[in-house]
Amino acid sequence: MIVRVLVEIKAKAVDKTFDYQVPSELQKNMQVGIRVIVPFGAQELEGYVLEITNTTNVEELKEVIAIKDEEIILNDELMKIGLAMKEETLCSLSSAYITMLPRALKARKKADIKKKYTTFLSLNTPIDVALNLAKNENQKTIVSLFASSEFISKKEAQEISSSATNTLIKNHILKEEAKETYRYQVKEWEQDEKKELNQEQRHAYAHIVANLTTAKTFLLQGVTGSGKTEIYMQLIEKVIHLKKQALVLVPEISLTPQFVANFARRFEDNIAVLHSGLSEGEKYDEWRKINRGEVSIVIGARSAIFAPLKNIGIIIVDECHSDSYKQENTPKYRVLDIATFRSNYHTCPLVLGSATPTLEMAARGKKGVYELLELKHRVNQFPLPTCTIVDMKEEVKQKSPIISRKLQEEIAKRLELEEQVMLLLNRRGYSTNVMCSSCGFTYKCPHCDITLTYHKTTKSLRCHYCGYTKYVDARCPNCHEDALNYLGLGTEKLETILKEKFPKARVIRMDTDTTARKGVLEKIIEEFKEGNYDILIGTQMISKGLDFPKVTLVGIVNADLSFNIPDFRSGEKTFALLYQASGRAGRSNIPGSVIIQTYNPENYILNCVKEQNYEKFYQYEMDIRRNLKYPPYYFLAQIIIKSKDYELAKKEAMQTVSYIKQNREPHTIVLGPTTANVFRKKNTYHFEILIKYRFDTLLKDTLKQLDQLFITKKNVSIDIDMSY
Ligand code: ADP
Ligand code: ZN
């Protein structure tokens, strides 16, 4: 018996399998899709068995040293997904597999995450015999525990009496046994029961249910608060009834205990959860539960799309427009592509839910590639919030440059009524930068191309790209005047200002700085929901999917911020962010209002947000995309050439452009090289090349060759994103 093993080696070049002889004692347990330990040069490496065979071209075969897994970890479907990822994103096969699996199952020697075992006790004799043998009250109490269950954890028995437990074991009345246990527990949460679907919900539900055995994609476009989650849950109920499984993807932030517990109330412990808040041990346990078919529902963030469910009946991607569904690092895969693959593999529907789908998705919905299902109203006909745009140019003249008079007035009103307020400011930190009013000096990161952000709690300036930190000088380091000023506004400063303006209000802030520690995010959400705070300040974190019935006012403190990102999607992203944030207001019977503060009150997109009008935004933005040849009219690939050596990076980037131009179809557009958004990051120069194409049969091969070419180059590297 010979096996082909994919060995994990860092370099891209070695994406090859190697053949090994399987010694006879290992043959019985050898399977495709498990990890083995093999000799590789002077080392011992782990690898995945991709094939079992009898033939080889290798003359002298080395032998497999050991088998690492009892259970298959790369089943047929996952293997195929890996191959598809390699083909579509141009990554290596081993990096695809490594991305798909929890750390405990990666073919890497270092990560040794163990299964957890718990000691259980069971009776050696019938219970009446045991009760007779028991010598005292404590022993009897312990034995009587076994009347209702066969196994009791040793810990539980010891809590009654540790000496009695030990005696019972010593006298062979009880026996000990170590059992594999799972670390993660879904917490219970008070929540109301299954809802009767309203007419719009029923219509959408019925359409999907009628297609439960087709690989069809549905775009469920429902305004905020239209009850999409309820539809998901009832669809899942149906799927479980058919003895199939459901895979539910949500953005990381929505994976709060509340959300999970909503599901848990309906589906009890039939759920596994996968997200970055779990420890590696917990992730490993959840993965095994899924792999063993012990749960019917998986809820998770991006990488949960690879959950090893074997009989999927529905895939749901909630808030499908979210950035988090595209992985930024290699392999740069999109959840949408993997979900489509799995929907085809299992012949089951894929449901994409959002109030603000991406233009690509919406266009497919309109063309009928996806079946569009709309929910135009909030449940119970609660109105969408009313929205006011405030011109901040005017407010500056009136000396209220941060919180406008209107916003101040409205906040005061809500505090009076004991309702809640959310304020969105998409920039963390205290002030954006520190500038000398005498000479104009600003602090820049010495390694990156951006200004440093001031953080008051740590009294330091920080680079949001590389984490570089420095203290502010007493005087301007350039002109030595005592004239350093704090400019701009971040969430931290907003918090200080609010506390001054509304000293009685209970204010809490939610951004990556306040939620770095595990569990803090959940706690803030919980406490705000319970009414322990009046005002929640936050970055885009607070905009997604959160349901706080008592929030009646949402303030967008600086709507212009996200327009400034140099990205052709900034309009779309701003619309989604502000629309979603607005949607947090008025989600129960008290109508909500939204106040948008801006220096550009005429801005078209802001006015679409004001009207809560997706369709108007769509028409406007599609026009721009058509004129500028951007997606969905063209596909876009991005290439970044990186080097610490400026001249080298530039030269390679120019050569890359001419190489592509010689090996593409004529209508494909190649732009660049230009300096990337952040040109210098961690002392590395970034040149960008953009490729706009529609149908180009040459392009993929060209890029594959480029990728290979760069493996051998020194001090310069290439980064290709096929679905930019
Ligand atoms: P969305 O995800 O579309 O923004 P949610 O699923 O969060 O909306 O639903 C908003 C609120 O409406 C939730 O509190 C939910 O429990 C409630 N809800 C959903 N469907 C119904 C229904 N048919 N009847 C009554 N309440 C509902
Ligand atoms: Zn930096």
Side-chain angles (χ1 to χ4, degrees):
M1 186 191 267
I2 292 161
V3 284
R4 305 241 141 88
V5 180
L6 180 71
V7 182
E8 145 68 0
I9 301 165
K10 284 272 147 52
K12 245 188 197 174
V14 202
D15 200 4
K16 280 199 298 195
T17 54
F18 295 88
D19 293 358
Y20 291 91
Q21 189 78 48
V22 183
S24 55
E25 71 273 16
L26 295 183
Q27 291 188 3
K28 181 164 57 74
N29 294 325
M30 187 56 75
Q31 306 179 78
V32 170
I34 60 172
R35 284 172 303 172
V36 288
I37 298 170
V38 292
F40 194 87
Q43 333 168 47
E44 287 182 4
L45 291 182
E46 283 184 12
Y48 301 106
V49 175
L50 297 192
E51 213 184 315
I52 298 178
T53 170
N54 292 316
T55 55
T56 181
N57 301 326
V58 184
E59 305 229 318
E60 251 173 84
L61 280 184
K62 290 188 184 165
E63 284 197 341
V64 173
I65 298 167
I67 286 182
K68 204 135 187 242
D69 302 301
E70 294 148 29
E71 296 158 275
I72 291 177
I73 57 174
L74 284 173
N75 62 31
D76 172 69
E77 185 193 8
L78 294 184
M79 287 227 184
K80 286 185 174 137
I81 291 175
L83 288 169
M85 265 167 81
K86 176 182 159 107
E87 180 59 27
E88 277 165 32
T89 72
L90 309 184
C91 68
S92 68
L93 193 56
S94 62
S95 74
Y97 290 146
I98 289 214
T99 304
M100 289 160 58
L101 296 166
R103 187 175 304 150
L105 294 170
K106 294 183 199 300
R108 263 179 201 163
K109 286 248 291 291
K110 261 180 280 152
D112 217 4
I113 294 142
K114 301 233 162 42
K115 291 178 188 167
K116 185 182 169 195
Y117 290 91
T118 306
T119 309
F120 281 87
L121 301 172
S122 61
L123 288 174
N124 257 331
T125 63
I127 187 158
D128 40 342
V129 180
L131 278 172
N132 278 332
L133 292 170
K135 292 208 181 72
N136 57 35
E137 271 318 297
N138 278 341
Q139 291 188 17
K140 283 195 202 314
T141 311
I142 293 169
V143 169
S144 60
L145 290 175
F146 292 89
S148 54
S149 66
E150 192 182 345
F151 293 99
I152 301 286
S153 77
K154 187 173 177 183
K155 199 159 154 245
E156 192 183 334
Q158 281 173 328
E159 271 162 19
I160 294 168
S161 158
S162 145
S163 67
T165 305
N166 291 338
T167 314
L168 286 166
I169 296 168
K170 204 175 77 204
N171 295 341
H172 302 290
I173 299 168
L174 294 179
K175 61 170 180 276
E176 287 180 288
E177 191 179 336
K179 279 175 170 282
E180 201 182 315
T181 41
Y182 301 130
R183 278 156 273 216
Y184 181 75
Q185 292 285 331
V186 175
K187 287 186 207 77
E188 274 285 328
W189 195 273
E190 277 315 311
Q191 246 287 306
D192 39 19
E193 288 306 299
K194 180 171 165 180
K195 315 267 187 330
E196 176 143 5
L197 298 181
N198 65 27
Q199 205 185 338
E200 276 189 329
Q201 286 174 313
R202 248 196 336 267
H203 173 262
Y205 170 83
H207 263 267
I208 301 169
V209 164
N211 286 284
L212 280 184
T213 51
T214 44
K216 206 168 170 175
T217 301
F218 294 89
L219 178 59
L220 180 61
Q221 185 171 353
V223 298
T224 51
S226 56
K228 294 185 284 292
T229 315
E230 186 63 36
I231 302 181
Y232 302 153
M233 291 209 260
Q234 299 204 14
L235 286 168
I236 293 167
E237 217 178 321
K238 190 84 189 172
V239 163
I240 292 175
H241 218 79
L242 299 170
K243 304 255 178 304
K244 292 189 185 176
Q245 301 161 327
L247 178 52
V248 184
L249 278 261
V250 292
E252 189 74 53
I253 179 72
S254 313
L255 267 170
T256 57
Q258 279 179 40
F259 183 90
V260 174
N262 274 351
F263 278 76
R265 288 284 291 185
R266 296 265 171 105
F267 305 106
E268 298 175 350
D269 57 358
N270 200 3
I271 303 174
V273 176
L274 288 170
H275 63 92
S276 65
L278 302 185
S279 70
E280 287 301 331
E282 288 171 330
K283 283 185 204 162
Y284 179 34
D285 292 352
E286 294 301 287
W287 198 93
R288 290 199 324 283
K289 266 185 219 170
I290 302 165
N291 200 35
R292 292 168 178 176
E294 293 172 2
V295 293
S296 306
I297 306 171
V298 174
I299 305 177
R302 181 176 59 225
S303 64
I305 193 64
F306 302 113
L309 290 168
K310 288 168 189 136
N311 187 16
I312 302 179
I314 194 164
I315 304 171
I316 294 164
V317 181
D318 189 31
E319 311 285 354
C320 59
H321 61 279
S322 169
D323 283 352
S324 69
Y325 290 135
K326 164 89 187 283
Q327 175 149 300
E328 294 296 328
N329 311 325
T330 306
K332 298 178 196 287
Y333 71 89
R334 276 188 301 207
V335 160
L336 179 63
D337 297 328
I338 315 286
T340 308
F341 182 100
R342 300 197 78 175
S343 145
N344 285 319
Y345 190 92
H346 293 271
T347 332
C348 74
L350 164 61
V351 179
L352 307 172
S354 175
T356 53
T358 64
L359 290 181
E360 288 94 320
M361 289 170 178
R364 285 180 186 164
K366 286 188 196 292
K367 277 207 318 211
V369 180
Y370 299 160
E371 184 168 339
L372 178 62
L373 300 169
E374 286 183 278
L375 304 171
K376 294 189 169 154
H377 306 280
R378 286 188 157 181
V379 286
N380 299 337
Q381 309 294 320
F382 294 145
L384 284 169
T386 49
C387 193
T388 314
I389 293 181
V390 175
D391 184 356
M392 291 308 282
K393 292 196 291 288
E394 205 45 48
E395 297 299 314
V396 171
K397 288 183 206 147
Q398 303 295 331
K399 304 259 181 296
S400 40
I402 291 172
I403 296 177
S404 62
R405 292 162 298 166
K406 170 86 179 160
L407 183 56
Q408 168 136 7
E409 202 177 282
E410 293 286 325
I411 293 174
K413 228 189 267 175
R414 308 301 138 148
L415 293 175
E416 187 74 25
L417 292 166
E418 298 187 352
E419 295 168 4
Q420 288 179 309
V421 178
M422 284 169 84
L423 296 178
L424 173 81
L425 176 61
N426 208 8
R427 187 179 270 154
R428 65 200 166 96
Y430 190 75
S431 56
T432 41
N433 56 34
V434 175
M435 188 172 142
C436 172
S437 56
S438 166
C439 75
F441 166 88
T442 56
Y443 284 97
K444 290 238 164 65
C445 175
H447 314 290
C448 307
D449 229 12
I450 58 163
T451 39
L452 298 175
T453 303
Y454 182 65
H455 288 250
K456 196 182 177 203
T457 30
T458 50
K459 293 199 171 47
S460 62
L461 291 154
R462 233 183 287 162
C463 170
H464 284 186
Y465 278 103
C466 72
Y468 170 84
T469 304
K470 120 169 244 348
Y471 289 101
V472 184
D473 305 276
R475 289 168 166 272
C476 172
N478 188 44
C479 70
H480 308 288
E481 288 292 324
D482 180 13
L484 289 175
N485 273 317
Y486 297 86
L487 301 177
L489 178 67
T491 43
E492 210 180 319
K493 185 163 172 184
L494 181 63
E495 186 183 9
T496 313
I497 294 170
L498 268 171
K499 283 178 174 162
E500 281 164 17
K501 279 194 191 283
F502 303 101
K504 289 212 190 94
R506 296 161 301 164
V507 182
I508 188 150
R509 172 162 64 94
M510 186 162 120
D511 55 32
T512 44
D513 294 321
T514 61
T515 58
R517 255 184 316 122
K518 192 179 163 179
V520 175
L521 174 67
E522 290 78 7
K523 193 151 173 276
I524 295 177
I525 294 172
E526 239 166 75
E527 296 214 338
F528 188 63
K529 187 154 189 162
E530 276 176 18
N532 299 347
Y533 292 95
D534 306 305
I535 304 177
L536 173 67
I537 299 174
T539 53
Q540 95 280 348
M541 258 189 187
I542 66 169
S543 69
K544 283 178 202 151
L546 300 174
D547 189 18
F548 301 117
K550 275 204 285 184
V551 171
T552 55
L553 174 67
V554 168
I556 316 277
V557 178
N558 183 349
D560 307 324
L561 271 182
S562 64
F563 283 115
N564 298 335
I565 319 161
D567 174 348
F568 75 94
R569 287 197 175 90
S570 71
E572 174 178 323
K573 285 185 179 159
T574 306
F575 180 79
L577 172 68
L578 302 190
Y579 184 103
Q580 296 280 344
S582 307
R584 300 310 110 207
R587 290 171 71 87
S588 62
N589 51 356
I590 317 166
S593 357
V594 178
I595 292 171
I596 299 180
Q597 303 194 138
T598 174
Y599 286 91
N600 304 289
E602 306 304 321
N603 180 288
Y604 195 86
I605 289 179
L606 291 185
N607 282 281
C608 295
V609 175
K610 177 181 169 181
E611 291 171 29
Q612 298 275 293
N613 191 336
Y614 181 88
E615 189 55 32
K616 190 168 160 184
F617 152 77
Y618 175 83
Q619 298 301 346
Y620 171 79
E621 193 68 19
M622 284 294 270
D623 256 1
I624 298 176
R625 300 283 181 92
R626 188 184 314 106
N627 290 334
L628 300 179
K629 299 191 165 67
Y630 275 123
Y633 294 97
Y634 276 73
F635 296 112
L636 209 53
Q638 185 207 44
I639 297 177
I640 302 276
I641 306 289
K642 295 189 271 198
S643 174
K644 289 201 162 44
D645 177 344
Y646 173 88
E647 289 301 331
L648 179 64
K650 190 170 165 189
K651 187 187 98 204
E652 290 290 345
M654 310 260 270
Q655 282 177 2
T656 302
V657 167
S658 53
Y659 182 83
I660 299 169
K661 282 187 174 163
Q662 284 156 27
N663 299 284
R664 50 130 193 206
E665 299 210 8
H667 46 261
T668 292
I669 302 162
V670 185
L671 298 172
T674 57
T675 53
N677 280 351
V678 179
F679 178 42
R680 192 165 60 108
K681 218 187 279 181
K682 300 182 193 172
N683 287 327
T684 302
Y685 296 94
H686 293 65
F687 282 91
E688 181 186 71
I689 300 160
L690 272 186
I691 306 170
K692 296 176 176 177
Y693 64 102
R694 298 184 79 147
F695 304 101
D696 191 325
T697 48
L698 304 173
L699 189 64
K700 193 171 262 170
D701 279 331
T702 304
L703 298 185
K704 274 187 199 166
Q705 280 153 17
L706 264 174
D707 208 29
Q708 290 299 313
L709 212 64
F710 268 82
I711 288 170
T712 53
K713 296 195 189 219
K714 284 219 171 72
N715 304 327
V716 59
S717 63
I718 190 168
D719 211 0
I720 301 175
D721 186 349
M722 289 301 292
S723 51
Y724 184 57

